[in-house]
Amino acid sequence: MGYPDQRFDVNLSILFTELPLLERPAAAAAAGFTAVELWWPWIETPTPPQAELDALKKALDDAGTQLVGLNFYAGQLPGPDRGALSVPGAESDRFRANIEVAADFAASVGCTALNALYGNRVEGADPQVQDALALENLVLAARAADRIGAILLVETLNKPESPLYPLVSAPAAIEVVDKVNAATGLGNAKFLLDLYHLSMNGEDLSQVVKAYAAKTGHVQIADNPGRGAPGTGSLPLERLLDELKDAGYAGWVGLEYKPGDRPSAESFDWLPASARAAG
């Protein structure tokens, strides 16, 4: 058990950001990893030129890295936004324009998990209207994911850092997951369980694991406080990942932490080199 018993991937939108996007897959591979994940890389557009999509695919292929998770368009992230799908008007339209683009790209690289960030509450907008719009868009996204044999992920964030995001508890995200699955009948909506965000919300992490491991489609980790690498804070991440495994979770664990003031490649000393390549 322990870290060597997990399947880790590196989030290239928070690690190796000292490098241009197209150089990050090779950097992850040089650090010993064979799997990566990404936030939507084109924060200005849901529909980048095909040449840019092709260049990212080539960078992933050339590095020998498997993309195992991809966000749909989520607005300015990093930045003030936390998704687009519940934001009425232009942002919802951008999310819809992105659905098939993201799904087709995921299919082209064999990625089978697509994360749909819910979006912030908007001043002057009725929360019920936002939630109805969110369900409409999540149903569309779930069907697109199903078309390529992928799952749709719904993520809890943390209230201190994302005060306008409505899904700031595990049960809140699970409720959305259940609503999407009921609406589509596909069963491919899953919970993205981020131990850092849940800990920031003060949740009982062992209880969340026990209650929701069966509905979890992807896991992300960072230590708390600080959102740094495992061992820089006080979260018992190794034990929690063992608990997830014991509860039946056999999926990916995304490394979504900040490397601090050192190069990303130097932030993996907590993980033996022999445990970095995913089998």
Side-chain angles (χ1 to χ4, degrees):
M1 301 295 277
Y3 290 138
D5 204 34
Q6 304 293 334
R7 289 199 302 163
F8 289 107
D9 72 86
V10 177
N11 188 309
L12 297 181
S13 297
I14 193 169
L15 285 155
F16 296 108
T17 56
E18 62 268 31
L19 299 172
L21 174 66
L22 298 183
E23 294 177 21
R24 294 177 203 168
F33 294 94
T34 54
V36 298
E37 62 182 65
L38 279 166
W39 303 340
W40 184 249
W42 298 275
I43 64 172
E44 302 297 337
T45 177
T47 54
Q50 186 61 44
E52 293 187 25
L53 293 159
D54 292 344
L56 179 55
K57 180 184 187 310
K58 184 176 188 302
L60 291 163
D61 291 346
D62 288 351
T65 49
Q66 174 65 49
L67 187 69
V68 299
L70 175 67
N71 283 17
F72 287 105
Y73 170 80
Q76 299 292 308
L77 181 77
D81 297 333
R82 297 292 186 271
L85 62 91
S86 69
V87 180
E91 280 296 85
S92 171
D93 291 344
R94 290 189 188 102
F95 178 82
R96 290 192 185 194
N98 175 247
I99 290 174
E100 299 302 333
V101 175
D104 286 346
F105 179 76
S108 77
V109 294
C111 175
T112 57
L114 289 160
N115 183 26
L117 282 170
Y118 201 82
N120 288 328
R121 290 300 193 212
V122 177
E123 189 175 351
D126 184 335
Q128 289 183 308
V129 171
Q130 283 198 256
D131 290 341
L133 177 63
L135 184 58
E136 282 181 33
N137 283 337
L138 286 166
V139 164
L140 294 172
R143 289 178 177 147
D146 182 68
R147 172 176 67 79
I148 66 162
I151 59 173
L152 174 74
L153 297 168
V154 177
E155 182 175 7
T156 290
L157 299 182
N158 76 76
K159 194 170 183 65
E161 293 174 325
S162 302
L164 299 178
Y165 191 81
L167 307 184
V168 288
S169 72
I174 291 291
E175 182 181 355
V176 172
V177 165
D178 290 344
K179 283 180 178 176
V180 175
N181 285 332
T184 65
L186 296 171
N188 70 328
K190 301 283 186 180
F191 178 41
L192 196 166
L193 192 161
D194 185 309
L195 289 167
Y196 167 74
H197 288 311
L198 297 175
S199 71
M200 284 284 286
N201 289 328
E203 296 190 63
D204 182 331
L205 299 181
S206 292
Q207 188 55 44
V208 168
V209 166
K210 193 178 299 183
Y212 302 126
K215 294 185 177 184
T216 296
H218 191 67
V219 171
Q220 291 173 333
I221 64 169
D223 216 331
N224 188 20
R227 199 174 184 173
T232 59
S234 58
L235 284 185
L237 290 169
E238 196 162 16
R239 174 174 64 76
L240 290 163
L241 293 178
D242 282 346
E243 289 176 10
L244 269 160
K245 209 168 186 69
D246 289 343
Y249 180 74
W252 294 98
V253 177
L255 305 180
E256 199 185 50
Y257 62 75
K258 297 176 182 177
D261 55 7
R262 55 183 171 168
S264 295
E266 295 176 14
S267 73
F268 303 111
D269 49 6
W270 58 275
L271 183 63
S274 59
R276 298 176 190 177

